[in-house]
């Protein structure tokens, strides 16, 4: 069912709590896998947002692409390439190539309101809890001056010492991906740089193309050597790492081998252990799927 306001969303949550009914909160549903819920609640009709100065305040169903477009028309940047709703962006704390400079959504969110059966909680720690603790209803996010231009350099077969040299140049974006055979680098700046031989030059921010999000696992880490290690163990079909994002993402990886090697990971639909522990306090009836 669709909900149109925070008040209506809270009533649905309260009803589910009273009747011990399992519900799942979704934005548009394009980035989430449906779980074992009795009812699916869509916030896509809660699509209001307003830009004031260098901040945007938005309800959970506001379209991130529309916000980014209006911000851009005002020479501002919402630093994410996510194409769903604000609620989905904050529920996943989804990184983007721009995370190198601006961080992940939690880093540029001023505050977020999450609705529970007991009312609203304003607590940024709940960003990234993937909807299992409550429903994101509203947030305020920071906007940044839009770069006048973005120049991207790309190269295949990256060496470890190249990463440290590029970091010294203060890149806007530093993205490394793996495609079964080799590690490729994509590094962006607001002006031309001497990055060394072997790079192809293009304009615009590099984009990560994911075919099947359901086959994604997430591993915490933030160095090229650590990224190479987990790739060599898990042997994924595809993987990527954005410098300063704090995580690696692997697709179609050998999770058994990763577990044997003591590598901890979590999935898009099963958040970090800290949120599972917190669920016992905030959702002890286990209504949020």
């Amino acid at each position: 069912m669709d909900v149109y306001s925070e008040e209506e969303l809270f009533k649905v949550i309260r009803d589910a709590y009273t009747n011990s009914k399992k519900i799942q909160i979704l934005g548009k549903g394009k980035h989430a896998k449906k779980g074992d819920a009795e009812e699916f609640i869509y916030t896509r009709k809660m699509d209001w947002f307003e830009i004031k100065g260098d901040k945007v305040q938005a309800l959970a169903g506001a379209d991130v692409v529309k916000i980014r477009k209006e911000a851009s028309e005002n020479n501002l940047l919402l630093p994410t390439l996510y194409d769903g709703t604000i609620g989905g962006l904050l529920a996943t704390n989804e990184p983007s190539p721009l995370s190198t400079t601006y961080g992940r959504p939690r880093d540029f969110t001023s505050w977020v309101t999450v609705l529970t059966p007991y009312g609203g909680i304003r607590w940024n720690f709940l960003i990234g809890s993937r909807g299992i603790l409550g429903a994101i209803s509203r947030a305020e996010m920071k906007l940044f001056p839009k770069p006048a231009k973005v120049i991207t350099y790309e190269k295949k077969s990256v060496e470890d010492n190249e990463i440290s040299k590029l970091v010294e140049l203060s890149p806007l974006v530093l993205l490394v991906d793996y495609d079964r055979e080799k590690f490729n680098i994509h590094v962006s700046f607001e002006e031309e740089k001497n990055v060394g031989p072997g790079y192809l030059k293009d304009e615009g921010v590099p984009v990560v193309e994911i075919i099947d999000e359901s086959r994604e696992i997430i591993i915490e880490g933030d160095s090229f050597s650590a990224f190479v290690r987990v790739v060599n163990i898990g042997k994924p079909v595809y993987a990527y790492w954005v410098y300063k994002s704090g995580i690696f993402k692997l697709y179609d990886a050998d999770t058994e081998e990763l577990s044997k090697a003591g590598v901890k990971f979590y999935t898009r639909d099963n958040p970090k252990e800290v949120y599972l522990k917190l669920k016992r306090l905030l959702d002890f009836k286990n209504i949020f799927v």
Side-chain angles (χ1 to χ4, degrees), residues 6-51:
E6 290 176 285
E7 293 76 17
E8 187 178 351
L9 179 57
F10 176 68
K11 287 179 182 178
V12 170
I13 293 170
R14 187 65 192 176
D15 176 73
Y17 174 79
T18 301
N19 295 289
S20 299
K21 181 171 59 177
K22 289 185 181 296
I23 59 174
Q24 184 175 359
I25 309 299
L26 302 165
K28 296 181 180 180
K30 65 186 297 185
H31 291 290
K33 179 182 177 181
K34 284 190 174 182
D36 185 22
E38 296 170 64
E39 191 165 13
F40 300 97
I41 314 302
Y42 291 89
T43 62
R44 57 197 169 194
K45 300 298 184 182
M46 295 170 56
D47 57 359
W48 171 87
F49 71 89
E50 183 177 34
I51 293 174

Side-chain angles (χ1 to χ4, degrees), residues 258-274:
L258 288 166
S259 296
K260 285 180 182 178
V263 178
K264 294 184 178 180
F265 58 87
Y266 56 98
T267 69
R268 177 178 290 268
D269 300 307
N270 294 286
K272 294 168 62 174
E273 187 176 351
V274 63

